[in-house]
Amino acid sequence: MPSEKILEQKKQQVAALSEAVKNANVGVLVNYSGISVEKDTKLRKELREAGCEYKVVKNTLLSRAFEEAGISGLEEHLKGSTALAYSDKGYTDAPKILSDYIKANPNSGFAVKAGFIDGGAVSASGIDELAKLPPKEVLLAQVLGGMNGPIQGFANVLNGTIRGLVIALNAIAEKQSA
């Protein structure tokens, strides 16, 4: 039986992890086996620079943290070596960075197990689809461009009509002066 001190430390770890998971927009569970220390350090640095957290966590602690955070459906993925990458700053950074790493190292054993988006569990394929999305800024630009297109077309039509009216008025004025 673990000592009270160790049990208290684990409770604090679960509470901190649960709070982080609650606040995260997205989280990705990965099987981190087969990654070298050098590549792991590089991956952690890239995730950190993107504003993501990456932790290797015991499955039992992660299971309890998910339970406290109200996230269900990930229990079956908490087997073997598990790491969690999560972010509260965006939805695509962690999935994209991990997906790019997997594509660059296809035979490493490193793989996405599953994940969560806004507190709801998603499969590995859902995380893969999320990784394919462009960043938030690009999506906003595309939406605004789509909204701007009809307005710009309407302005061009009005401009053409006004231009035609000016040409007609100039022609009439020339005929009257001649």
Side-chain angles (χ1 to χ4, degrees):
M1 180 129 171
S3 70
E4 287 295 319
K5 183 179 177 183
I6 292 173
L7 196 57
E8 189 58 36
Q9 286 176 341
K10 288 184 178 184
K11 284 181 182 179
Q12 289 175 355
Q13 287 176 334
V14 168
L17 191 56
S18 173
E19 191 62 30
V21 167
K22 280 181 195 175
N23 294 330
N25 297 335
V26 65
V28 183
L29 293 173
V30 294
N31 175 358
Y32 68 90
S33 64
I35 186 170
S36 68
V37 173
E38 180 184 338
K39 289 181 179 181
D40 184 56
T41 303
K42 184 179 176 188
L43 179 64
R44 286 175 186 268
K45 181 178 185 258
E46 192 174 348
L47 286 163
R48 190 173 42 254
E49 287 173 352
C52 304
E53 292 287 327
Y54 179 79
K55 297 179 179 187
V56 174
V57 187
K58 286 188 171 189
N59 291 327
T60 54
L61 296 179
L62 196 52
S63 176
R64 289 197 172 116
F66 284 151
E67 188 178 319
E68 281 187 23
I71 300 173
S72 60
L74 296 175
E75 297 81 16
E76 65 190 72
H77 302 287
L78 298 177
K79 294 178 178 80
S81 56
T82 305
L84 173 66
Y86 60 93
S87 174
D88 61 357
K89 294 179 177 35
Y91 290 89
T92 59
D93 290 335
K96 190 175 295 293
I97 291 168
L98 294 170
S99 180
D100 289 347
Y101 176 82
I102 292 168
K103 286 176 188 168
N105 301 282
N107 298 324
S108 68
F110 192 91
V112 172
K113 293 181 175 185
F116 62 89
I117 301 171
D118 289 333
V122 294
S123 66
S125 61
I127 294 296
D128 189 45
E129 290 299 316
L130 191 59
K132 292 176 184 174
L133 286 176
K136 179 181 177 181
E137 294 79 19
V138 173
L139 287 174
L140 285 173
Q142 289 173 346
V143 168
L144 291 175
M147 292 170 59
N148 191 31
I151 294 169
Q152 190 173 8
F154 183 65
N156 286 340
V157 167
L158 288 178
N159 193 20
T161 304
I162 292 170
R163 198 176 311 122
L165 181 61
V166 168
I167 291 170
L169 289 174
N170 283 340
I172 292 171
E174 284 180 17
K175 282 186 181 182
Q176 288 179 351
S177 64

